[in-house]
Amino acid sequence: MIKEALVCLEGSPGSEAATRVAIGIAKDLQARLVGLAIVDEPDIRAGTPTGIGGSAFKHERDEALLADARLRAADALALFERRCREAGVTAKPLEVVGRPTASILTEMEARELTVIGRDANFRFETESDDAETREAILHRATRPVLLVPENAEGPLGKVVVVAYDGSKAAKRTIASFAASGLAASRSIHVATVDDSGERAWEMASVGVKLFVDAGVAAVPHNIVSALSNVEALFAFAREIKADLMVMGAFAHSRLAHLFHGSVTRGLVERTTIPIYLQH
Amino acid sequence: MNEIASVSQHLTPAWAVAPFVGYLLLIAILPLFAPRLWEHNRNKLILAVVAGVPAIVYLAGLRGAGVDQLLRTGCDYVSFMVLLGALFAISGGICLRGALIGTPIVNTLFLGAGAVLASVVGTTGASALLIRPLLRANAHRVRTTHIVVFFIFIVANAGGLLTPLGDPPLFLGFLRGVPFTWTLRLAPAWALVNGVLLALFAVFDQVAVVRDRGKPRPSRPSDPALEVGPLRLEGVINLLWLGGIVGVVFVAGLLGPRLARFTYLLPLIQVAGMALCAGLSWKTTPRDVRAVNRFSWAPMVEVAAVFLGVFITMIPALSYLEQRGASLGITRPAQFFWASGALSSVLDNAPTYLTFASLALGVADGGSGALSAAGIGALSAHPIGERLLAAVSCGAVMMGAVTYIGNGPNFMVKAIAEQHRVRTPSFFGYIAWSGLILLPLFALVARLFF
């Protein structure tokens, strides 16, 4: 059961959506929330070619960016605390100075769930976007992550599609999702995409059994489609009006992704509903 | 005034070049790999002294000739630093305030004015004076990266080609005997490059305005006290002191041949005159003007520390190039243009200019040493040398714009822009900009002029 969830904050629309979803979860499960804001001092102060006479200007620029980052972190945490207070949810602010990936991976170890906006840019002072941090977290996280797209509204809905491919990551994900309390009173649909309908049905049934063993009811679905795996899953999610997707993250090697593409990346980049992932 | 001492009469060994090369490489890479070490000016001074020791030992071994060259270089260094410091102090005492809305026409005219100003107060002074008002004028714009990039191209680099005050390499040439007005012959190249860049900028800016339509205004820092009222200059008295600097340098150039036999008198007059103008600027400028400009001597202290090492280590290196220039395979003006430009884009353009000007001496006199004895200034009056010097001047000054480290004000402009929450390209992102825009333009310059 989720007792404490980490919410990653940096003021983006995704971060706002993540906060809304996290508050909904906290109210349902009587959980605490920890709002994490990161001041990325290492990247701000990182060495860069400056030319002769540039050091003084770099120092001034670093100080200005750091001051701005601290202000934004404080604002994000203040807003988070106010929203939680208004919702009657127990919350704790946490400001960390350090590189975003390492900071989030460290803090997530102590919590059962990490909620993060899809478009979150934790290196907002030095980069225009930050897919790198998101990808590193999804690759290296040993705890579940709930990725929330920026257009997600309100709390999590009642219909869940579980994309199951038989991998170890998928099995871990089902186990943690079933134990989290999030599966309770939700309609769980386990779906497998394969060229063979029979094979897909068998695999989906294995996924259903994992849920049943954990005390959660679920229904299998086999998806045979000419579309890509990503498109097929999205089409199925739309068909059953799913509000939440659950899947194992980056189950295959980076080399395999290089040649075959990554279903995780495809789903993460294009989803319009929150995705619960575990590596 | 500054004929090359008879150091060049002693065949300079290849190893004497190593400290110069090594020092320039360290200047380029230490900010990247050892930023905390490089941050302190004390460490830069220590490095400069350590790098200079082999050169000093070598010159001391040449006895009278070596010591004489060291003293002359010391004079050049002091003159160079006093000029940079004086221009820095004077331009730091001028502030542009008032309401200015950045439109394509306004921005283009602003950059055009900056190109002219750069040749008068120097690229660093013009950049420091103009970048903040330009950023404030465009604070409402979503797309502003191109404004910063073209500012670096034009105001921080190409604009400074017309006078010795415009860019440090040209002043070094002046100190070594190039007449003050000689750089005016580069006006056609100056006009071509800046004209094309301004035209391109106008197109870029208009496209950006169209694409900005409907987008929400970005959140950027603003200072109402600086943005209200008519556009006006504060610290105007500094224009007088700036005129004083121009006068001192110009008169020094006129008096040079007459005072040549008094070895240190002319540098003394120059330094005293420029220091006086800087001191008067300091006394007569209201403090709040410098506060608005966030004036600090820290950059000048850094430049002084780093250039101490450059000036010392380059003595044997330049001598080596003068002696062997003709045999190194770079002989034509176009080659000098591209070679000096390529080095200038990754190492500071001042030592690059001296390196290739010295090489040009060796090439122009066919290795006979006739021109070397007279110094870089002799190139300006030599039929072949003049073209080589023009190529080196254009290459060193213009191609300082190719990377953030090619010229001092480049990174200053980037850092100030980032403080104003303007996204600037990464190091290699900027090179992509300069590669696409500047390299074809420089190819045209090489074709037309060299």
Coordinates of all heavy atoms in Angstrom, one line a residue, chain B residues 254-262:
Chain B
L254 N 51.0 59.6 -34.9 CA 51.7 60.7 -35.7 C 53.1 60.9 -35.2 O 54.0 61.2 -36.0 CB 50.9 62.0 -35.6 CG 49.5 62.0 -36.4 CD1 48.8 63.3 -36.2 CD2 49.7 61.7 -37.9
L255 N 53.2 61.0 -33.9 CA 54.5 61.3 -33.3 C 55.5 60.1 -33.3 O 56.7 60.3 -33.1 CB 54.3 61.7 -31.8 CG 53.6 63.0 -31.6 CD1 53.5 63.2 -30.1 CD2 54.4 64.2 -32.2
G256 N 55.0 58.9 -33.6 CA 55.8 57.7 -33.5 C 57.2 57.8 -34.2 O 58.2 57.7 -33.6
P257 N 57.2 58.2 -35.5 CA 58.5 58.2 -36.2 C 59.4 59.2 -35.6 O 60.7 59.0 -35.5 CB 58.1 58.6 -37.6 CG 56.7 58.2 -37.8 CD 56.1 58.4 -36.4
R258 N 58.9 60.4 -35.1 CA 59.8 61.4 -34.6 C 60.4 61.1 -33.2 O 61.4 61.5 -32.9 CB 59.0 62.7 -34.4 CG 58.6 63.3 -35.7 CD 57.8 64.6 -35.5 NE 56.9 64.9 -36.6 CZ 56.2 65.9 -36.8 NH1 56.1 66.8 -35.8 NH2 55.4 66.1 -37.8
L259 N 59.6 60.3 -32.5 CA 60.1 59.9 -31.1 C 60.7 58.6 -31.0 O 61.0 58.0 -30.0 CB 58.9 60.0 -30.1 CG 58.3 61.4 -30.0 CD1 57.2 61.4 -29.0 CD2 59.3 62.4 -29.6
A260 N 61.0 58.0 -32.2 CA 61.5 56.6 -32.2 C 62.7 56.4 -31.4 O 63.0 55.4 -30.8 CB 61.7 56.1 -33.7
R261 N 63.6 57.5 -31.5 CA 64.9 57.3 -30.8 C 64.8 57.3 -29.3 O 65.7 56.9 -28.5 CB 65.9 58.3 -31.3 CG 65.5 59.7 -31.0 CD 66.6 60.7 -31.6 NE 66.4 62.0 -31.2 CZ 65.6 62.8 -31.9 NH1 64.8 62.4 -32.9 NH2 65.4 64.1 -31.5
F262 N 63.6 57.8 -28.8 CA 63.4 57.8 -27.3 C 62.5 56.6 -27.0 O 61.3 56.7 -27.0 CB 62.7 59.1 -26.9 CG 63.4 60.4 -27.3 CD1 62.9 61.2 -28.3 CD2 64.6 60.7 -26.7 CE1 63.5 62.3 -28.6 CE2 65.2 61.9 -27.0 CZ 64.7 62.7 -28.0

